[in-house]
Structure formats: C-alpha cells, structure tokens
C-alpha cells in the first residue's frame, strides 16, 4: 500500500505545526527539507513527531562515510522514519548510512538515495565528468549501486519509477515527487504524473506539496489524492 508524504515547504516550525493540525488525521507522513531544517533545526523534527506523524528528513547527505554514518545516527535518535543520501557519495558512504540506520532496528530510518537530480541534464553530467552516458543510464547505474550497497530505496521522478521498479529487487522503496492530481495546477513541475499513475508504476511513497498545502481545503485535497492512490492498487 503506497503512502502519501506531504512536503512541509514552509519556513517556520509554527507554520509547519499549523499545517499539520489543519490537515489532521488524513495524512500521517511529512517531509522536512533543507529550507525548513536550516531555519528551525531538529526542533521541527521533534514537533512533527510529537504530533504523532512520521518524518521524511530530506537533507540529501553527501559526505565522507564517517560523517554520513554519524548524521544518520542523529536522525535515528530524533525518530526520523525516512532520510535521503546522494548515491554519488559512493559505495562506502551508502553502506555507512545503511549500517547506522540498521542500529535502530525495524522501526529505524529507511535510507533512500537520490541518483541524478532532476535539475541536471546531459551537459551538466558531462561538466561533472560523466561522459558517454545519458541521464537515464546514469540514474540506473547509481540506482543499482545504491540498492546493492544497502540503501532501502530511491528517490526518483515519476518518469523513471516504472523502469526502475521493473528492474530492481522487490521491496525497494520508490519515493516520487512531481505528483499532480488531474486538473490541479502544475506549478514549476515539468515532468508530472497523476497519483494513480505513480502508484501503478511502482511508487511506494508519493511526495505531494502544493496540491495539498495550497488547496482551499487541504484535508479534503489530501483525502482525494489518497482515494485516487487506493483506486490504483
Ligand atoms: O509542491 P510540489 O508538490 O511540487 O512539491 C514537491 C516536493 O518535492 C518539494 O518539496 C520539492 O522540493 C520536492 N522535489 C521535487 N522534485 C524533485 C525532487 C524533490 O519536486 N526532483
């Protein structure tokens, strides 16, 4: 059963708590990204956990293995449920993240890896020394590296999730942003999928921001997306 994660793309802990209270029981999982975490720090994670919600801490760690290992452990102590690393940090870094997460047992953080940021194109990859591979080929290579090295899953676009979920082992987590219910505003997202399509393609966690947060009735918008997801599984 796929889960919906609402992106807390707000600037303060108070706004985050207000949004969660407004949405109520409909949503049990929230994403805290770099902007909110840099503004409010671990207290915002504690505030979301205190409301009984799961936390996806999306800080995209990319550092030496020891630093990533210790940072994942800090996330585990905060009760974080899902957290991101960059697959391009390499095999030892991914292993270190997975091993630190495993210390917390079954209820500990799951580690999902970002492969190629969706903002990068082929020429950006070439600038970084990745020559002779398309972004899609690089996504697949890094996806295999990540899951072979112990990551529980991947963050990927709805355009990639179908081929990745058919290729990688069963049980892999696929977190997909860029989800838009039919008829909702696209905003700055370019490659989008409906919630039903994302679920059918193998997404296990759908990250949704504006379609819920900017809706006149966020709880109703969340329930409508959940109903669409349920109809596809
Ligand atoms: O408002 P919207 O539904 O577009 O928000 C999607 C969330 O997912 C935002 O927090 C955004 O930063 C994040 N995200 C994304 N596309 C990516 C990676 C992350 O939209 N490729």
């Amino acid at each position: 059963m796929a889960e919906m994660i609402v992106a807390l793309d707000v600037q303060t802990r108070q706004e985050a708590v207000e949004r969660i209270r407004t949405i109520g029981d409909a949503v049990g999982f929230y994403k805290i990204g770099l902007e909110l975490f840099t503004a409010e720090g671990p207290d915002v994670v504690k505030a979301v956990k205190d409301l009984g919600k799961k936390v996806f801490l999306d800080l995209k760690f990319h550092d030496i293995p020891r630093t990533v290992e210790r940072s994942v452990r800090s996330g585990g102590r905060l009760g974080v449920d899902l957290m991101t690393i960059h697959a391009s940090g390499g095999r030892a870094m991914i292993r270190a993240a997975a091993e630190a997460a495993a210390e917390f047992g079954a209820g500990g953080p799951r580690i999902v890896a970002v492969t190629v940021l969706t903002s990068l194109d082929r020429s950006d990859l070439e600038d970084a020394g990745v020559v002779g591979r398309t972004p899609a080929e690089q996504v697949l290579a890094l996806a295999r590296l990540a899951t072979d090295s112990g990551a529980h899953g991947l963050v990927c676009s709805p355009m990639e999730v179908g081929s990745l979920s058919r290729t990688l082992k069963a049980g892999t987590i696929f977190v997909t942003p860029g989800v838009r219910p039919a008829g909702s505003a696209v905003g700055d997202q370019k490659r989008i999928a409906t919630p039903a399509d994302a679920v059918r393609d193998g997404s296990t966690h759908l990250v949704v921001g504006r379609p819920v947060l900017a809706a006149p009735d966020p709880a109703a918008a969340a329930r409508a997306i959940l109903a669409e997801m349920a109809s596809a599984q």
Side-chain angles (χ1 to χ4, degrees):
M1 181 86 175
E3 284 189 86
M4 175 166 67
I5 303 175
V6 170
L8 282 172
D9 291 329
V10 295
Q11 308 228 319
T12 66
R13 182 174 50 160
Q14 193 188 335
E15 273 178 278
V17 167
E18 281 166 10
R19 297 305 181 96
I20 294 169
R21 290 213 168 106
T22 304
I23 296 168
D25 291 338
V27 175
F29 214 149
Y30 285 91
K31 175 170 91 87
I32 296 170
L34 279 170
E35 182 184 356
L36 181 57
F37 191 82
T38 304
E40 295 281 11
D43 281 353
V44 71
V45 177
K46 291 183 196 142
V48 178
K49 292 296 298 187
D50 284 348
L51 291 167
K53 307 300 183 185
K54 291 198 267 189
V55 170
F56 171 28
L57 188 60
D58 183 20
L59 303 181
K60 299 186 182 69
F61 295 150
H62 187 174
D63 211 315
I64 59 171
R66 175 186 152 88
T67 301
V68 168
E69 175 192 320
R70 294 165 76 97
S71 305
V72 168
R73 207 172 279 135
S74 297
R77 281 193 210 105
L78 281 172
V80 166
D81 298 280
L82 190 63
M83 56 204 303
T84 44
I85 60 171
H86 272 284
S88 54
R91 197 177 293 281
M93 189 204 83
I94 300 164
R95 282 220 178 97
E99 281 167 17
E103 292 167 13
F104 295 87
R110 306 286 95 182
I111 303 294
V112 288
V114 175
T115 57
V116 178
L117 290 170
T118 51
S119 51
L120 303 181
D121 63 16
R122 190 170 186 151
S123 79
D124 293 310
L125 292 185
E126 283 171 5
D127 289 344
V130 179
V131 180
R133 265 190 197 164
T134 64
E137 288 166 345
Q138 179 70 353
V139 165
L140 181 58
L142 288 174
R144 285 193 197 282
L145 172 71
T147 51
D148 288 350
S149 306
H152 303 100
L154 301 159
V155 181
C156 60
S157 88
M159 304 300 113
E160 297 160 353
V161 71
S163 61
L164 290 174
S165 66
R166 284 190 295 274
T167 309
L168 299 172
K169 63 176 182 268
T172 303
I173 294 172
F174 292 100
V175 180
T176 52
V179 176
R180 289 290 178 274
S184 71
V186 170
D188 56 2
Q189 295 282 10
K190 294 201 176 78
R191 290 179 288 161
I192 54 166
T194 65
D197 283 339
V199 169
R200 272 193 286 266
D201 282 341
S203 175
T204 60
H205 295 75
L206 279 63
V207 178
V208 185
R210 287 160 289 184
V212 170
L213 291 189
D217 182 345
R223 280 193 293 268
I225 294 171
L226 287 165
E228 189 182 332
M229 289 165 61
S231 74
Q233 38 203 358

